[in-house]
């Protein structure tokens, strides 16, 4: 089964690449690697949630938001690499979770993205990862992902 078929089976569609919020590009390819800029939970040009985990945003919402960030990251990757089948491996995910000082479930939230990469890309979706709690993200977004992918 191709990654596109797995995505369809999940009832998901890759979105259009999110328009940058400032002076940068969504993704850059150098050799066999693609580096994405930070991907926020933006759908149809709108940030779909704001706030912090441990306050205004629940773990379940955070997991869903991380999945949206992962979809946006895959869209950014294929914008410079072709299609999902060109992804050899998701190498590294760096995730930022806006959270209250006492909140410690950042890894649980980021599992939303990690699980989606595995569901869509199979073994190629398994990756190294960091899940970092931060005080605030651009536009008060709850979650942001950066992804490094090896491509062919």
């Amino acid at each position: 089964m191709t990654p596109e078929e797995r995505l369809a089976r999940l009832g998901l569609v890759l979105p259009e690449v999110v328009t940058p919020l400032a002076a940068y590009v969504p993704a850059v390819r150098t050799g066999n690697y693609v580096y994405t800029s930070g991907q926020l939970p933006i759908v149809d040009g709108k940030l779909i949630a704001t706030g912090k985990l441990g306050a205004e945003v629940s773990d379940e919402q955070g997991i869903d938001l991380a999945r949206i960030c992962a979809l946006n990251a895959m869209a950014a990757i294929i914008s410079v690499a072709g299609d999902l089948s060109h992804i050899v491996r998701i190498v590294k995910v760096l995730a930022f979770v806006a959270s209250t000082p006492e909140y410690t479930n950042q890894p649980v939230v980021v599992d939303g993205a990690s699980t989606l990469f595995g569901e869509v890309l199979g073994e190629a979706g398994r990756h190294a990862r960091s899940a970092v709690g931060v005080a605030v993200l651009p536009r008060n977004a709850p979650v942001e992902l950066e992804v490094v992918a090896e491509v062919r």
Side-chain angles (χ1 to χ4, degrees), residues 28-35 80 89 91 148-151:
V28 172
R29 180 175 181 165
T30 182
N32 290 335
Y33 291 91
V34 174
Y35 296 79
V80 296
R89 172 168 219 116
V91 177
V148 178
E150 181 183 4
V151 297

Side-chain angles (χ1 to χ4, degrees), residues 15 18 42-48:
V18 174
I42 293 176
V43 175
D44 295 328
K46 295 185 184 348
L47 185 62
I48 62 167

Side-chain angles (χ1 to χ4, degrees), residues 95-106:
F96 304 97
V97 179
S99 47
T100 60
E102 66 280 351
Y103 185 81
T104 59
N105 275 347
Q106 291 87 355

Side-chain angles (χ1 to χ4, degrees), residues 49-62 65 98-100 102-103 135 140-142:
T50 58
K52 293 182 178 12
L53 277 289
E56 305 87 3
V57 181
S58 71
D59 286 4
E60 294 75 22
Q61 290 171 306
L65 296 170
S99 47
T100 60
E102 66 280 351
Y103 185 81
N140 200 25

Side-chain angles (χ1 to χ4, degrees), residues 126-137:
R126 292 177 46 90
H127 52 271
R129 181 183 94 183
S130 298
V132 181
V134 298
V136 68
L137 288 168

Side-chain angles (χ1 to χ4, degrees), residues 53 59 62-67 69-70 93-98 103 105-117 127-133 142-146:
L53 277 289
D59 286 4
I63 290 165
D64 290 341
L65 296 170
R67 288 175 66 87
C69 292
V93 173
L94 175 56
F96 304 97
V97 179
Y103 185 81
N105 275 347
Q106 291 87 355
V108 172
V109 169
V110 181
D111 274 349
S114 295
T115 300
L116 183 63
F117 285 129
H127 52 271
R129 181 183 94 183
S130 298
V132 181
V143 182
E144 181 176 2
L145 292 184
E146 290 182 10

